[in-house]
Short mmCIF file of all heavy atoms in Angstrom, two decimals:
data_model
loop_
_atom_site.label_atom_id
_atom_site.label_comp_id
_atom_site.label_asym_id
_atom_site.label_seq_id
_atom_site.Cartn_x
_atom_site.Cartn_y
_atom_site.Cartn_z
N TYR A 13 0.80 -1.23 0.01
CA TYR A 13 0.00 0.01 0.01
C TYR A 13 0.84 1.28 0.00
O TYR A 13 0.27 2.37 0.02
CB TYR A 13 -0.95 0.01 1.21
CG TYR A 13 -1.96 -1.10 1.17
CD1 TYR A 13 -1.85 -2.21 2.02
CD2 TYR A 13 -3.04 -1.05 0.30
CE1 TYR A 13 -2.77 -3.23 1.98
CE2 TYR A 13 -3.96 -2.09 0.25
CZ TYR A 13 -3.83 -3.17 1.09
OH TYR A 13 -4.75 -4.17 1.05
N ASN A 14 2.15 1.15 -0.01
CA ASN A 14 2.99 2.34 -0.05
C ASN A 14 2.82 3.07 -1.37
O ASN A 14 2.59 2.46 -2.40
CB ASN A 14 4.49 1.97 0.11
CG ASN A 14 4.83 1.46 1.50
OD1 ASN A 14 4.00 1.53 2.41
ND2 ASN A 14 6.01 0.94 1.64
N ASN A 15 2.87 4.39 -1.29
CA ASN A 15 2.72 5.22 -2.48
C ASN A 15 4.04 5.95 -2.79
O ASN A 15 4.94 5.95 -1.96
CB ASN A 15 1.63 6.28 -2.26
CG ASN A 15 0.26 5.69 -2.22
OD1 ASN A 15 -0.22 5.15 -3.20
ND2 ASN A 15 -0.40 5.80 -1.07
N GLU A 16 4.06 6.54 -3.94
CA GLU A 16 5.16 7.43 -4.30
C GLU A 16 4.56 8.81 -4.53
O GLU A 16 3.47 8.92 -5.08
CB GLU A 16 5.83 6.98 -5.60
CG GLU A 16 6.86 5.91 -5.41
CD GLU A 16 7.58 5.64 -6.72
OE1 GLU A 16 8.08 6.59 -7.34
OE2 GLU A 16 7.60 4.47 -7.11
N ARG A 17 5.29 9.83 -4.15
CA ARG A 17 4.80 11.18 -4.38
C ARG A 17 5.18 11.58 -5.80
O ARG A 17 6.30 11.93 -6.10
CB ARG A 17 5.39 12.17 -3.40
CG ARG A 17 4.68 13.51 -3.46
CD ARG A 17 5.42 14.61 -2.73
NE ARG A 17 4.72 15.87 -2.87
CZ ARG A 17 4.64 16.58 -4.00
NH1 ARG A 17 5.20 16.14 -5.10
NH2 ARG A 17 4.00 17.71 -4.02
N THR A 18 4.19 11.44 -6.68
CA THR A 18 4.37 11.85 -8.07
C THR A 18 3.33 12.92 -8.37
O THR A 18 2.35 13.07 -7.61
CB THR A 18 4.17 10.67 -9.04
OG1 THR A 18 2.80 10.23 -8.93
CG2 THR A 18 5.13 9.52 -8.74
N ASP A 19 3.50 13.64 -9.45
CA ASP A 19 2.52 14.65 -9.85
C ASP A 19 1.15 13.99 -10.09
O ASP A 19 0.11 14.52 -9.72
CB ASP A 19 2.97 15.39 -11.10
CG ASP A 19 4.12 16.33 -10.84
OD1 ASP A 19 4.37 16.68 -9.65
OD2 ASP A 19 4.79 16.73 -11.80
N GLU A 20 1.19 12.79 -10.69
CA GLU A 20 -0.06 12.08 -10.98
C GLU A 20 -0.77 11.66 -9.69
O GLU A 20 -1.97 11.82 -9.56
CB GLU A 20 0.24 10.83 -11.83
CG GLU A 20 -0.98 10.06 -12.23
CD GLU A 20 -0.62 8.83 -13.08
OE1 GLU A 20 0.44 8.82 -13.73
OE2 GLU A 20 -1.43 7.89 -13.08
N ALA A 21 0.00 11.13 -8.73
CA ALA A 21 -0.60 10.72 -7.45
C ALA A 21 -1.16 11.94 -6.71
O ALA A 21 -2.26 11.86 -6.14
CB ALA A 21 0.46 10.02 -6.59
N LEU A 22 -0.42 13.03 -6.73
CA LEU A 22 -0.89 14.24 -6.06
C LEU A 22 -2.16 14.80 -6.73
O LEU A 22 -3.11 15.18 -6.05
CB LEU A 22 0.22 15.30 -6.07
CG LEU A 22 0.01 16.52 -5.20
CD1 LEU A 22 -0.16 16.13 -3.73
CD2 LEU A 22 1.20 17.44 -5.34
N GLN A 23 -2.19 14.75 -8.03
CA GLN A 23 -3.36 15.21 -8.78
C GLN A 23 -4.58 14.37 -8.42
O GLN A 23 -5.67 14.91 -8.22
CB GLN A 23 -3.07 15.16 -10.28
CG GLN A 23 -4.19 15.71 -11.14
CD GLN A 23 -3.81 15.67 -12.63
OE1 GLN A 23 -2.70 15.35 -13.02
NE2 GLN A 23 -4.78 16.01 -13.47
N GLU A 24 -4.41 13.06 -8.34
CA GLU A 24 -5.55 12.19 -7.99
C GLU A 24 -6.06 12.48 -6.60
O GLU A 24 -7.26 12.64 -6.39
CB GLU A 24 -5.15 10.70 -8.08
CG GLU A 24 -6.28 9.78 -7.62
CD GLU A 24 -5.90 8.32 -7.58
OE1 GLU A 24 -5.22 7.84 -8.50
OE2 GLU A 24 -6.32 7.65 -6.61
N ILE A 25 -5.17 12.56 -5.64
CA ILE A 25 -5.58 12.71 -4.25
C ILE A 25 -6.21 14.09 -3.96
O ILE A 25 -6.94 14.25 -2.99
CB ILE A 25 -4.41 12.39 -3.28
CG1 ILE A 25 -4.91 11.96 -1.90
CG2 ILE A 25 -3.44 13.54 -3.20
CD1 ILE A 25 -3.84 11.37 -1.04
N LEU A 26 -5.95 15.03 -4.87
CA LEU A 26 -6.52 16.36 -4.71
C LEU A 26 -7.70 16.62 -5.66
O LEU A 26 -8.15 17.75 -5.79
CB LEU A 26 -5.44 17.43 -4.92
CG LEU A 26 -4.39 17.52 -3.82
CD1 LEU A 26 -3.25 18.44 -4.23
CD2 LEU A 26 -4.99 17.95 -2.49
N ASP A 27 -8.25 15.55 -6.27
CA ASP A 27 -9.29 15.74 -7.28
C ASP A 27 -10.70 15.94 -6.71
O ASP A 27 -11.66 16.04 -7.44
CB ASP A 27 -9.29 14.60 -8.28
CG ASP A 27 -9.86 13.29 -7.70
OD1 ASP A 27 -10.24 13.23 -6.54
OD2 ASP A 27 -9.92 12.30 -8.49
N GLY A 28 -10.83 15.94 -5.38
CA GLY A 28 -12.14 16.16 -4.77
C GLY A 28 -12.82 14.91 -4.25
O GLY A 28 -13.80 14.99 -3.53
N SER A 29 -12.28 13.73 -4.56
CA SER A 29 -12.88 12.48 -4.10
C SER A 29 -12.24 11.97 -2.81
O SER A 29 -12.72 10.99 -2.24
CB SER A 29 -12.79 11.40 -5.19
OG SER A 29 -11.43 11.04 -5.42
N TYR A 30 -11.19 12.63 -2.35
CA TYR A 30 -10.47 12.21 -1.14
C TYR A 30 -10.76 13.15 0.03
O TYR A 30 -10.93 14.35 -0.15
CB TYR A 30 -8.96 12.22 -1.39
CG TYR A 30 -8.44 11.04 -2.15
CD1 TYR A 30 -8.58 10.97 -3.54
CD2 TYR A 30 -7.79 10.01 -1.50
CE1 TYR A 30 -8.09 9.88 -4.25
CE2 TYR A 30 -7.30 8.91 -2.21
CZ TYR A 30 -7.46 8.85 -3.57
OH TYR A 30 -6.97 7.77 -4.27
N TYR A 31 -10.79 12.53 1.22
CA TYR A 31 -11.00 13.26 2.47
C TYR A 31 -9.93 12.85 3.46
O TYR A 31 -9.45 11.72 3.42
CB TYR A 31 -12.37 12.91 3.05
CG TYR A 31 -13.52 13.31 2.16
CD1 TYR A 31 -13.91 12.49 1.11
CD2 TYR A 31 -14.19 14.52 2.34
CE1 TYR A 31 -14.96 12.84 0.26
CE2 TYR A 31 -15.23 14.89 1.51
CZ TYR A 31 -15.62 14.04 0.46
OH TYR A 31 -16.64 14.41 -0.37
N ARG A 32 -9.61 13.74 4.33
CA ARG A 32 -8.66 13.43 5.40
C ARG A 32 -9.43 13.30 6.71
O ARG A 32 -10.46 13.93 6.90
CB ARG A 32 -7.56 14.47 5.49
CG ARG A 32 -7.99 15.85 5.90
CD ARG A 32 -6.85 16.86 5.74
NE ARG A 32 -7.07 18.06 6.51
CZ ARG A 32 -7.78 19.12 6.10
NH1 ARG A 32 -8.35 19.10 4.93
NH2 ARG A 32 -7.90 20.17 6.86
N VAL A 33 -8.91 12.45 7.61
CA VAL A 33 -9.54 12.24 8.90
C VAL A 33 -8.50 12.58 9.97
O VAL A 33 -7.43 11.97 10.02
CB VAL A 33 -10.01 10.77 9.06
CG1 VAL A 33 -10.70 10.58 10.41
CG2 VAL A 33 -10.95 10.37 7.91
N ASN A 34 -8.84 13.58 10.77
CA ASN A 34 -7.95 14.04 11.84
C ASN A 34 -8.57 13.76 13.19
O ASN A 34 -9.79 13.64 13.32
CB ASN A 34 -7.71 15.54 11.71
CG ASN A 34 -6.97 15.92 10.44
OD1 ASN A 34 -7.54 15.83 9.34
ND2 ASN A 34 -5.74 16.32 10.55
N ASP A 35 -7.71 13.70 14.23
CA ASP A 35 -8.22 13.55 15.58
C ASP A 35 -8.44 14.94 16.19
O ASP A 35 -8.26 15.95 15.50
CB ASP A 35 -7.33 12.64 16.43
CG ASP A 35 -5.98 13.28 16.78
OD1 ASP A 35 -5.75 14.48 16.47
OD2 ASP A 35 -5.15 12.58 17.39
N GLU A 36 -8.81 14.94 17.46
CA GLU A 36 -9.12 16.20 18.12
C GLU A 36 -7.92 17.14 18.22
O GLU A 36 -8.07 18.35 18.39
CB GLU A 36 -9.73 15.96 19.51
CG GLU A 36 -8.80 15.25 20.49
CD GLU A 36 -8.83 13.74 20.41
OE1 GLU A 36 -9.51 13.18 19.53
OE2 GLU A 36 -8.16 13.08 21.24
N ASP A 37 -6.71 16.59 18.10
CA ASP A 37 -5.49 17.41 18.14
C ASP A 37 -5.02 17.77 16.74
O ASP A 37 -3.88 18.23 16.55
CB ASP A 37 -4.38 16.68 18.90
CG ASP A 37 -4.75 16.45 20.36
OD1 ASP A 37 -5.36 17.35 20.96
OD2 ASP A 37 -4.45 15.35 20.89
N ASN A 38 -5.86 17.52 15.73
CA ASN A 38 -5.57 17.79 14.34
C ASN A 38 -4.45 16.92 13.76
O ASN A 38 -3.78 17.28 12.79
CB ASN A 38 -5.28 19.27 14.09
CG ASN A 38 -5.64 19.69 12.69
OD1 ASN A 38 -6.58 19.15 12.10
ND2 ASN A 38 -4.90 20.62 12.12
N VAL A 39 -4.23 15.76 14.38
CA VAL A 39 -3.26 14.79 13.88
C VAL A 39 -3.94 14.00 12.76
O VAL A 39 -5.08 13.55 12.93
CB VAL A 39 -2.76 13.86 14.99
CG1 VAL A 39 -1.87 12.76 14.42
CG2 VAL A 39 -2.03 14.66 16.06
N LEU A 40 -3.25 13.81 11.66
CA LEU A 40 -3.78 13.06 10.52
C LEU A 40 -3.81 11.56 10.86
O LEU A 40 -2.76 10.93 10.95
CB LEU A 40 -2.95 13.34 9.28
CG LEU A 40 -3.38 12.65 7.98
CD1 LEU A 40 -4.79 13.13 7.56
CD2 LEU A 40 -2.38 12.97 6.87
N ILE A 41 -5.01 11.02 11.03
CA ILE A 41 -5.19 9.61 11.39
C ILE A 41 -5.29 8.73 10.14
O ILE A 41 -4.81 7.61 10.11
CB ILE A 41 -6.46 9.43 12.25
CG1 ILE A 41 -6.38 10.27 13.51
CG2 ILE A 41 -6.69 7.97 12.60
CD1 ILE A 41 -5.23 9.96 14.41
N GLY A 42 -5.93 9.28 9.09
CA GLY A 42 -6.11 8.50 7.88
C GLY A 42 -6.82 9.31 6.82
O GLY A 42 -6.97 10.52 6.95
N PHE A 43 -7.24 8.59 5.79
CA PHE A 43 -7.93 9.22 4.68
C PHE A 43 -8.92 8.21 4.11
O PHE A 43 -8.85 7.02 4.41
CB PHE A 43 -6.95 9.68 3.60
CG PHE A 43 -6.30 8.54 2.87
CD1 PHE A 43 -6.86 8.04 1.69
CD2 PHE A 43 -5.15 7.92 3.36
CE1 PHE A 43 -6.28 6.97 1.02
CE2 PHE A 43 -4.57 6.87 2.69
CZ PHE A 43 -5.14 6.39 1.51
N PHE A 44 -9.80 8.72 3.26
CA PHE A 44 -10.65 7.82 2.49
C PHE A 44 -11.02 8.52 1.19
O PHE A 44 -10.88 9.74 1.06
CB PHE A 44 -11.90 7.39 3.26
CG PHE A 44 -12.91 8.47 3.56
CD1 PHE A 44 -14.02 8.66 2.75
CD2 PHE A 44 -12.73 9.30 4.66
CE1 PHE A 44 -14.92 9.65 3.03
CE2 PHE A 44 -13.65 10.28 4.94
CZ PHE A 44 -14.75 10.47 4.13
N CYS A 45 -11.45 7.74 0.22
CA CYS A 45 -11.93 8.28 -1.03
C CYS A 45 -13.23 7.57 -1.38
O CYS A 45 -13.53 6.50 -0.90
CB CYS A 45 -10.90 8.15 -2.14
SG CYS A 45 -10.45 6.48 -2.61
N ILE A 46 -13.98 8.25 -2.24
CA ILE A 46 -15.27 7.73 -2.66
C ILE A 46 -15.31 7.78 -4.19
O ILE A 46 -14.83 8.74 -4.79
CB ILE A 46 -16.42 8.61 -2.11
CG1 ILE A 46 -16.40 8.62 -0.58
CG2 ILE A 46 -17.78 8.16 -2.62
CD1 ILE A 46 -17.36 9.61 0.05
N GLY A 47 -15.87 6.74 -4.80
CA GLY A 47 -16.05 6.75 -6.23
C GLY A 47 -14.99 5.97 -6.98
O GLY A 47 -14.42 5.01 -6.48
N ALA A 48 -14.69 6.42 -8.20
CA ALA A 48 -13.81 5.70 -9.12
C ALA A 48 -12.42 5.47 -8.52
O ALA A 48 -11.82 4.42 -8.75
CB ALA A 48 -13.70 6.46 -10.43
N ASN A 49 -11.90 6.42 -7.76
CA ASN A 49 -10.56 6.25 -7.18
C ASN A 49 -10.49 5.17 -6.11
O ASN A 49 -9.42 4.75 -5.71
CB ASN A 49 -10.04 7.57 -6.62
CG ASN A 49 -9.70 8.54 -7.75
OD1 ASN A 49 -9.29 8.14 -8.83
ND2 ASN A 49 -9.81 9.83 -7.48
N ALA A 50 -11.66 4.74 -5.62
CA ALA A 50 -11.70 3.68 -4.62
C ALA A 50 -11.67 2.29 -5.26
O ALA A 50 -11.59 1.28 -4.57
CB ALA A 50 -12.96 3.84 -3.76
N LYS A 51 -11.76 2.24 -6.57
CA LYS A 51 -11.78 0.97 -7.29
C LYS A 51 -10.38 0.60 -7.79
O LYS A 51 -9.57 1.46 -8.08
CB LYS A 51 -12.71 1.08 -8.49
CG LYS A 51 -14.15 1.39 -8.15
CD LYS A 51 -14.97 1.60 -9.43
CE LYS A 51 -16.40 2.00 -9.11
NZ LYS A 51 -17.18 2.23 -10.35
N VAL A 52 -10.16 -0.70 -7.91
CA VAL A 52 -8.96 -1.20 -8.58
C VAL A 52 -9.34 -1.27 -10.06
O VAL A 52 -10.25 -2.04 -10.43
CB VAL A 52 -8.55 -2.59 -8.04
CG1 VAL A 52 -7.39 -3.15 -8.86
CG2 VAL A 52 -8.20 -2.49 -6.57
#
């Protein structure tokens, strides 16, 4: 599940289908996406 930081990967994760999940201290706990990007 490791990723590489590429322009393509960054463009996908910022396309509006991804969300970040933070805790009460604003620490990034995880993320999720909905739609086509969630499919293999």
Side-chain angles (χ1 to χ4, degrees):
Y13 297 106
N14 291 351
N15 290 296
E16 277 186 53
R17 192 193 178 290
T18 64
D19 289 342
E20 182 180 335
L22 192 59
Q23 184 177 354
E24 176 185 318
I25 204 168
L26 290 172
D27 74 359
S29 67
Y30 281 79
Y31 298 83
R32 65 189 199 275
V33 182
N34 295 71
D35 70 7
E36 64 273 5
D37 297 321
N38 208 32
V39 173
L40 181 62
I41 302 299
F43 69 93
F44 67 97
C45 63
I46 299 171
N49 288 330
K51 300 175 183 179
V52 174

